[in-house]
Amino acid sequence: MSPLRIYLFGVPRFERDDTPLHIPRRKAVALLAYLAATSQPHSRDALATMFWPEHDQTRARANLRRELSRTKSALGEDPFDIQGEQVALNRAQEWWLDIAEFQANLEAAQEGLLKGSG
């Protein structure tokens, strides 16, 4: 399967093989965007509290499980790496993020400017 493409500049969108993937719930979109943008594992408790602060921890964690499952179904494969209490995007599967590409290009341009000024 081709890499998942995640666009976070503007309205968040997700594509695979140039085909838009529909993720119907805003919290699922926000969760996927957050995991992609931070590119690191987060505890289930932290994610549950961040996305469902109005609920007690038990209900918030149940909501997190449900959103992870819905997102997996919407994407057609499991984009997550869940290790016990830690959740991250699965680095074993290929995915591309527009803000990471932008950051890499910005750093390359800045490095080129620094080399040119010396």
Side-chain angles (χ1 to χ4, degrees), residues 107-118:
E107 289 171 7
Q110 288 173 332
E111 186 176 304
L113 287 174
L114 289 175
K115 285 181 181 177
S117 67

Side-chain angles (χ1 to χ4, degrees), residues 51-67:
F51 287 98
W52 293 275
E54 69 278 9
H55 296 300
D56 64 52
Q57 200 62 18
T58 300
R59 186 151 179 215
R61 283 178 63 115
N63 288 339
L64 175 63
R65 277 191 305 278
R66 194 170 18 261
E67 291 306 323

